[in-house]
Amino acid sequence: MKALVLSGGAGTRLRPITHTSAKQLVPVANKPVLFYGLESIAAAGITEVGVIVGDTAAEIEEAVGDGSKFGLEITYIPQERPLGLAHAVLIARDFLGDDDFVMYLGDNFIVGGISELVDGFRVNRPAAQILLTHVPDPRSFGVAELDSAGQVIGLEEKPETPKSDLALVGVYLFTSAIHEAVRAIEPSWRGELEITHAIQHLIDLRADVHSTVIKGYWKDTGNVVDMLEVNRTVLETIEHRVDGEVDERSELVGRVVVEEGARITGSRVVGPVIIGAGTVVSDSYVGPFTSVSENCRIQDSELEFSIVLRDSSIQGVGRIESSLIGRHVEVTPTVGMPTVHRLVLGDHSKVQIHS
């Protein structure tokens, strides 16, 4: 069995961060979200992985390499434009051959991995198996309609009037039957080859299409709110560890990770929090559900429920919360009253804030 991981796409919902960085490499608890998917694939016993790459191919390839650090063998498959999930299957035909495969969207996050799902598929081998989850507003997703017996009878892509609240999660399992289906469909009104249309083609041919409604945690990390929520979820699982330096004037409360080379002086850090290697936190408060990447500087500031990417500096700001801050960002104060700030800052930004 092989895996096909989709790591192209423009990441428009995470702009301005994704103007200069691949959305799949935005870190969750200081680790790119793509890495969690690759680790889940390896844990499921799959070693051969094709990675679909687009405009950010060089960045993805630099981060992932040949896959050996995950126990994987990576083959990169270029996609000139993001023309749909079914198009990704189409251009990966030579890599996939006639093998069964799991298709995994590189910006999706599933707590608990996919091992149990893959094991079940290997035994039953339906033509396709989809994962579903209940969502409050299914209009932004592919949506499944089930009959009274729980059988999939129809799929729609981002319908105006959904027939259910069951959205497709970004993990699919297929036999080689899907290759005929992706060749048979036409582009949608969006100009894309939709995987929902290909699976519907299998349903119309009375092929065996299974569905599983997942009870665990799933997020599409395509926007800032979901990124922060996934970061919170992962941080809840960390264990207290201090490999860096913490001076006697500082206080660490709860589960706090201080990576090697990081320094905390005169500060209070309330976990769960992770402080990246080489980062300096001085005379500051860092509150729960915050990830600060490597080589950052937090000085005389308050930070909570936020993600700060590498090489950024926050100095002299009253309070920042619910924020995603890019690489090489500088946040400094101007004269004024302290307040709460909500920020989404692109890489190399410089911002002055009343504090």
Side-chain angles (χ1 to χ4, degrees):
M1 193 169 187
K2 294 176 179 174
L4 187 64
V5 177
L6 275 60
S7 295
T12 54
R13 292 178 295 158
L14 271 176
R15 287 176 180 168
I17 299 293
T18 49
H19 279 308
T20 51
S21 180
K23 63 178 180 177
Q24 298 85 5
L25 297 181
V26 176
V28 169
N30 286 4
K31 182 166 65 176
V33 66
L34 173 62
F35 287 13
Y36 292 95
L38 293 175
E39 289 168 354
S40 292
I41 288 166
I46 299 170
T47 57
E48 294 183 72
V49 180
V51 178
I52 301 290
V53 290
D55 292 342
T56 59
E59 190 180 9
I60 296 289
E61 291 180 28
E62 181 181 3
V64 176
D66 63 2
S68 57
K69 62 186 175 184
F70 305 99
L72 303 173
E73 300 172 11
I74 300 290
T75 299
Y76 292 100
I77 304 167
Q79 185 181 37
E80 292 185 5
R81 288 188 297 143
L83 297 175
L85 304 188
H87 181 258
V89 175
L90 193 65
I91 64 174
R93 183 68 173 93
D94 288 344
F95 166 75
L96 294 169
D98 291 325
D99 294 317
D100 298 348
F101 68 98
V102 55
M103 184 167 74
Y104 198 116
L105 274 58
D107 59 352
N108 275 227
F109 185 90
I110 300 177
V111 170
I114 59 172
S115 296
E116 185 176 345
L117 178 75
V118 169
D119 289 344
F121 183 83
R122 283 179 166 135
V123 172
N124 298 312
R125 296 192 70 243
Q129 183 157 351
I130 58 176
L131 271 67
L132 305 173
T133 189
H134 295 281
V135 295
D137 184 3
R139 291 174 298 176
S140 298
F141 302 92
V143 176
E145 182 184 4
L146 309 183
D147 64 16
S148 57
Q151 184 70 29
V152 184
I153 58 175
L155 298 173
E156 295 180 285
E157 186 64 33
K158 297 180 174 62
E160 284 294 325
T161 308
K163 295 180 180 178
S164 80
D165 66 347
L166 288 170
L168 275 74
V169 173
V171 177
Y172 309 79
L173 296 104
F174 298 113
T175 66
S176 60
I178 193 64
H179 296 301
E180 179 185 350
V182 298
R183 290 195 301 269
I185 62 174
E186 297 292 334
S188 67
W189 62 270
R190 301 193 301 166
E192 297 186 2
L193 291 176
E194 311 285 1
I195 198 67
T196 47
H197 292 178
I199 300 170
Q200 183 64 54
H201 182 79
L202 292 175
I203 294 170
D204 293 342
L205 293 176
R206 300 188 181 279
D208 196 11
V209 175
H210 289 187
S211 68
T212 301
V213 179
I214 64 171
K215 297 179 173 59
Y217 182 87
W218 164 79
K219 278 288 183 184
D220 169 3
T221 61
N223 61 55
V224 174
V225 172
D226 287 340
M227 282 296 307
L228 292 172
E229 178 63 20
V230 171
N231 191 62
R232 181 192 65 78
T233 300
V234 176
L235 286 176
E236 286 180 334
T237 69
I238 67 172
E239 297 295 332
H240 183 82
R241 175 169 53 87
V242 178
D243 295 329
E245 300 177 22
V246 180
D247 75 355
E248 59 185 14
R249 296 186 301 118
S250 297
E251 181 184 16
L252 305 186
V253 180
R255 289 167 290 132
V256 176
V257 172
V258 182
E259 297 283 6
E260 186 175 356
R263 233 170 0 106
I264 299 177
T265 63
S267 298
R268 189 168 193 261
V269 182
V270 180
V273 164
I274 183 167
I275 306 296
T279 287
V280 177
V281 179
S282 59
D283 302 313
S284 295
Y285 166 78
V286 180
F289 310 120
T290 300
S291 297
V292 182
S293 296
E294 66 270 21
N295 301 319
C296 293
R297 184 172 183 85
I298 313 296
Q299 180 179 359
D300 192 25
S301 300
E302 296 184 11
L303 184 64
E304 188 167 310
F305 190 53
S306 294
I307 299 173
V308 182
L309 276 60
R310 62 179 175 83
D311 301 304
S312 291
S313 172
I314 300 171
Q315 300 188 56
V317 231
R319 187 175 180 86
I320 294 173
E321 65 178 32
S322 305
S323 299
L324 173 58
I325 297 173
R327 301 174 297 181
H328 299 279
V329 169
E330 295 181 11
V331 184
T332 56
T334 59
V335 178
M337 296 298 293
T339 185
V340 170
H341 309 289
R342 300 174 63 92
L343 307 172
V344 180
L345 301 177
D347 300 347
H348 303 283
S349 299
K350 293 186 179 181
V351 178
Q352 288 188 316
I353 293 177
H354 288 284
S355 179

